[in-house]
């Protein structure tokens, strides 16, 4: 995550640093050409990366283990990017999908904001991926996959969840908030508001990220719905009080930890994210020294 400010207890920080060091100790990048298992190796790596970056940035000390692990994680992520499509999937150089692409881009953006230099070629490839997989009359809509080099087995129609994730990716890469593609995406998301009848924690998370970055009336409308919905659906009694039932498509895989984590992250967007369009202003530009 792009964590730019949190209220955190010292004991939580200590626990986070210890966890980050545990991740760091296991962060040796696989050899070039390694075939990743179809389970979650690349997912695990990309979700662990921000923990290393977050711990290093908050600690503000010269912890060589965290710096080294973060550098290795970034090198590994970059090494998995498909040079043709510019995307990521489950194996090195495999034509990408929008879901995996979003997690990888978020990881690299987090590292960049911590002071790690991301090669311009990687950024150019990411922009090409988003351009070539775009759909819709203005290029603002996205499906899970769209064949670029003819090996992906065709294209899938646009969905709200992939459009929301891609919009957030485009925002991280500096897309104009008033571009036709952005307006098309925001309109599509707005026509598919969060609903208990269509529970989708993954969509709610990326929809909230993207709409928060966009701001204005679309964000206020989305926020009022997602905030009230999540609060009303949180369990308030019994063995699982405080959690959310894993009753969406991915809940059967991730379980209660998955649903509760994404619901919590969604509700924390206000406190943990600064609008990206403000990030490059001078008063918000301080970052730790780049690792060597």
């Amino acid at each position: 995550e792009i964590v730019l400010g949190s209220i955190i207890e010292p004991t939580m920080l200590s626990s986070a640093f210890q966890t980050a060091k545990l991740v760091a100790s296991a962060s040796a990048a696989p050899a070039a050409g390694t075939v990743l298992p179809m389970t979650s190796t690349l997912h695990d790596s990309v979700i662990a990366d921000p923990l290393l970056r977050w711990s290093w940035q908050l600690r503000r000390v010269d912890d060589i283990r965290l710096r080294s692990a973060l550098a290795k994680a970034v090198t590994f992520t970059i090494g998995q990017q498909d040079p043709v499509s510019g995307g990521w999937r489950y194996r090195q150089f495999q034509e990408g999908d929008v879901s995996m692409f979003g997690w990888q881009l978020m990881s690299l953006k987090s590292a960049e904001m911590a002071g790690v230099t991301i090669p311009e070629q990687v950024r150019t490839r990411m922009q090409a991926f988003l351009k070539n997989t775009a759909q819709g009359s203005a290029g603002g809509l996205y499906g899970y996959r769209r064949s670029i080099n003819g090996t992906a087995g065709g294209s899938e129609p646009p969905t709200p969840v992939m459009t929301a994730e891609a919009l957030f990716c485009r925002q991280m890469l500096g897309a104009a908030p008033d571009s036709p593609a952005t307006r098309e995406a925001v309109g599509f998301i707005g026509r598919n508001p969060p609903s208990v009848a269509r529970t989708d924690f993954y969509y709610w998370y990326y929809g909230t990220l993207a709409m928060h970055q966009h701001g204005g009336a679309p964000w206020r409308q989305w926020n009022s719905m997602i905030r009230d919905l999540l609060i009303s659906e949180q369990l308030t009694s019994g063995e699982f009080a405080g959690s959310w039932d894993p009753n969406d498509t991915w809940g059967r895989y991730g379980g209660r930890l998955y649903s509760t984590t994404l619901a919590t992250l969604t509700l924390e967007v206000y406190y943990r994210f600064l609008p990206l369009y403000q990030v490059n202003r001078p008063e918000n530009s301080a970052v730790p020294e780049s690792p060597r």
Side-chain angles (χ1 to χ4, degrees):
E1 309 302 328
I2 306 170
V3 184
L4 296 176
S6 303
I7 300 174
I8 306 172
E9 295 293 333
T11 54
M12 293 174 64
L13 281 178
S14 176
S15 176
F17 294 142
Q18 292 303 316
T19 303
K21 288 182 178 181
L22 181 62
V23 172
S25 68
S27 291
T34 297
V35 176
L36 300 174
M38 288 299 288
T39 51
S40 58
T41 300
L42 194 53
H43 272 122
D44 293 347
S45 172
V46 76
I47 293 172
D49 291 356
L51 174 61
L52 295 171
R53 195 273 316 152
W54 176 76
S55 299
W56 175 37
Q57 189 171 15
L58 281 179
R59 194 156 194 172
R60 305 280 182 172
V61 297
D62 188 19
D63 191 318
I64 189 64
R65 285 172 294 183
L66 294 183
R67 290 197 304 158
S68 175
L70 181 59
K72 288 179 181 178
V74 170
T75 298
F76 175 68
T77 297
I78 291 173
Q80 297 298 309
Q81 186 183 32
D82 176 24
V84 178
S85 70
W88 285 266
R89 205 153 192 261
Y90 296 102
R91 294 188 174 92
Q92 187 180 43
F93 305 155
Q94 187 179 21
E95 184 171 293
D97 65 62
V98 172
S99 176
M100 183 66 83
F101 177 87
W103 290 107
Q104 308 303 320
L105 193 157
M106 186 184 292
S107 171
L108 293 178
K109 182 66 176 180
S110 294
E112 182 180 58
M113 294 179 70
V116 178
T117 299
I118 305 301
E120 188 60 32
Q121 183 183 49
V122 174
R123 181 184 299 273
T124 299
R125 289 173 178 171
M126 291 191 291
Q127 291 171 329
F129 177 85
L130 288 170
K131 178 181 178 181
N132 293 330
T133 55
Q135 302 182 55
S137 60
L141 308 183
Y142 290 81
Y144 174 59
R145 299 179 72 184
R146 185 177 188 186
S147 179
I148 295 174
N149 57 27
T151 63
S155 302
E156 298 184 24
T159 63
V161 59
M162 291 296 97
T163 295
E165 184 167 354
L167 174 58
F168 185 60
C169 290
R170 294 179 67 252
Q171 290 167 335
M172 285 192 286
L173 290 174
D178 58 349
S179 70
T182 296
R183 291 198 298 269
E184 183 177 40
V186 169
F188 186 50
I189 296 168
R191 292 191 298 274
N192 291 274
S195 166
V196 174
R198 298 188 303 275
T199 298
D200 189 337
F201 291 102
Y202 192 106
Y203 173 47
W204 295 350
Y205 175 54
Y206 272 109
T208 302
L209 288 175
M211 296 299 255
H212 177 246
Q213 294 302 324
H214 184 72
W219 159 241
R220 290 192 294 272
Q221 183 176 10
W222 174 277
N223 179 46
S224 66
M225 290 186 288
I226 191 64
R227 178 195 60 211
D228 295 348
L229 187 157
L230 285 174
I231 291 174
S232 68
E233 290 300 302
Q234 185 181 32
L235 301 181
T236 58
S237 62
E239 180 182 2
F240 301 114
S243 70
W244 281 263
D245 286 330
N247 53 4
D248 71 347
T249 301
W250 302 108
R252 57 179 174 166
Y253 299 100
R256 190 169 299 277
L257 180 61
Y258 157 82
S259 57
T260 301
T261 298
L262 283 185
T264 302
L265 288 172
T266 300
L267 289 172
E268 287 185 347
V269 162
Y270 329 102
Y271 313 112
R272 302 174 63 244
F273 288 83
L274 182 70
L276 287 164
Y277 301 117
Q278 298 179 24
V279 166
N280 292 324
R281 293 179 181 176
E283 64 269 26
N284 299 316
S285 60
V287 294
E289 183 182 1
S290 299
R292 294 178 176 82

